[in-house]
Amino acid sequence: MVTLSQVVRFHELGGPSVLLLEQRAVPVQAEDEVLIKVMAIGLNRADKMFRTGQYLEKARLPSMLGFEAVGTVVACGASVTGFAAGDMVGVVPGFEVGRYGTYAEHALIPASHVLPQPAGLSPTEAAGLWMAYLTAYGGLVEAGRTGSGDWVAITAASSSVGLAAIQIARRVGARPIAITLTSAKREALLAAGAEAVISTTEESLDERLRALAPDGLQCVFDAVGGPQVAVLADAMARRGTIVVHGALSPEPTPFPLKLALKRSLSLRGFVYTEVTEDPDALQRARAFIKLGIETGFLRPHIDKVFPLRDVVAAHEYLESNQQFGKIVMTV
């Protein structure tokens, strides 16, 4: 008798309504894969970009979806070592999403993208761990070289990656400035650890940055890109680094050449796979995140939880930009 399992797929690019909850036979793992019974799934802005054809990887229809999840091991391929049935594991992004998506009751994942789940988090919290914290750690610590006493500006600060970045900046002794559109989330961002909050539709970004960090920013962790990069560059200290990890702005991103020459600035793109594809960097990230959880410095902020059957509603909420932190689906 074939056992059926739920999976979310889309057969065309488009809005949330293209996401369909379907039935399939429980998949069978290949030699280098792990079969996971999914408990919770973390949503990311990249999910929307993938669904609409705007992500770096292009979907081959019909396509699966989902970058991260947490669950228990059901079975392992013949060449897989280090895992056993019943182990609690997290799914680390970096695999082919359309083939190995996590929006499912049972997910097949390459063993290279499965990690033992650190203790101290609920499954819902754990589902929001790896994408946000690997991105923030890699961008701030590995690429941005952020250290004690540094002023750091973080755009899209109320996102799950932005909140992770605030926590990580605090963990290394830096002083994070949260940049957001309106003042609606100001108090929540201050409570989350931001040294200060700038609302770009209500205040002058340039003036506020100069007042807060008169000697300049050592690092900018930017999810937006676009013309605002020039304003951020003007607030940088000598030898500062602008790390752009997202492209929320639909406008072109200028390279501030004269400022870069004058102050020896670096502007670089960053994607989490810089960490996941480098074993040494991934090991450093895992150790940093594990210690942060154990000591209470790092903890994902979960905004809202949906059941998998409400995947369309979850994506509609994702697109609303109302969330403060992570959206999670449970299975």
Side-chain angles (χ1 to χ4, degrees), residues 10 63 71 90 93 98 101 107 119 152 161 171 195 197 212 241 243 260 281-282 293:
F10 57 99
S63 177
V152 179
V161 176
R171 183 75 179 97
E195 184 97 357
V197 178
L212 288 165
T241 303
V243 180
L282 182 58
I293 293 170

Side-chain angles (χ1 to χ4, degrees), residues 10-325:
F10 57 99
H11 297 254
E12 59 181 316
L13 303 179
S17 63
V18 303
L19 299 174
L20 303 175
L21 185 62
E22 301 176 341
Q23 297 272 323
R24 66 172 177 178
V26 174
V28 178
Q29 69 281 0
E31 182 178 0
D32 61 347
E33 295 173 342
V34 177
L35 177 63
I36 297 168
K37 176 68 172 67
V38 176
M39 301 173 70
I41 303 156
L43 272 63
N44 297 279
R45 284 192 172 99
D47 295 2
K48 174 200 170 184
M49 296 176 70
F50 186 72
R51 167 173 50 78
T52 56
Q54 299 173 326
Y55 193 63
L56 298 173
E57 177 190 336
K58 302 304 179 184
R60 289 182 290 179
L61 303 173
S63 177
M64 295 184 65
L65 181 63
F67 290 82
E68 59 182 339
V70 65
T72 55
V73 173
V74 175
C76 298
S79 67
V80 176
T81 59
F83 298 104
D87 287 351
M88 179 76 76
V89 294
V91 175
V92 177
F95 45 83
E96 185 182 348
V97 178
R99 178 182 177 188
Y100 288 111
T102 59
Y103 284 25
E105 187 177 355
H106 293 86
L108 279 180
I109 303 294
S112 57
H113 291 273
V114 178
L115 292 177
Q117 191 59 42
L121 299 177
S122 69
T124 300
E125 290 173 322
L129 182 64
W130 292 114
M131 175 70 97
Y133 285 83
L134 288 176
T135 301
Y137 169 86
L140 286 176
V141 179
E142 297 281 338
R145 304 182 303 280
T146 303
S148 180
D150 289 351
W151 282 98
V152 179
I154 299 166
T155 67
S158 62
S159 68
S160 58
V161 176
L163 292 173
I166 290 172
Q167 293 177 14
I168 288 172
R170 283 294 191 190
R171 183 75 179 97
V172 299
R175 308 179 74 179
I177 300 171
I179 299 176
T180 187
L181 288 175
T182 73
S183 59
K185 299 173 182 177
R186 179 185 298 275
E187 295 305 316
L189 286 165
L190 291 171
E195 184 97 357
V197 178
I198 302 175
S199 306
T200 56
T201 59
E202 302 168 11
E203 307 170 86
S204 168
L205 176 60
D206 179 60
E207 291 178 5
R208 288 280 283 134
L209 286 174
R210 289 185 180 279
L212 288 165
D215 294 328
L217 303 167
Q218 281 73 37
C219 183
V220 170
F221 185 61
D222 181 37
V224 180
Q228 184 173 271
V229 167
V231 179
L232 295 167
D234 197 36
M236 298 296 291
R238 284 187 58 80
R239 301 185 183 278
T241 303
I242 301 173
V243 180
V244 183
H245 67 95
L248 295 178
S249 173
E251 300 180 64
T253 300
F255 181 78
L257 177 60
K258 290 184 178 180
L259 283 169
L261 292 171
K262 182 179 179 181
R263 300 182 191 169
S264 301
L265 303 181
S266 298
L267 190 155
R268 59 149 16 247
F270 174 81
V271 66
Y272 61 86
T273 52
E274 289 188 36
V275 176
T276 61
E277 293 176 357
D278 180 336
D280 292 335
L282 182 58
Q283 181 57 38
R284 290 192 295 270
R286 288 179 61 191
F288 182 96
I289 293 167
K290 181 175 182 291
L291 181 60
I293 293 170
E294 291 173 350
T295 56
F297 275 93
L298 306 182
R299 184 166 292 271
H301 184 95
I302 306 304
D303 178 88
K304 197 167 184 178
V305 180
F306 294 83
L308 182 62
R309 65 176 179 274
D310 290 341
V311 60
V312 172
H315 268 243
E316 289 173 343
Y317 186 66
L318 177 69
E319 292 193 355
S320 76
N321 292 321
Q322 299 176 50
Q323 67 270 25
F324 185 82

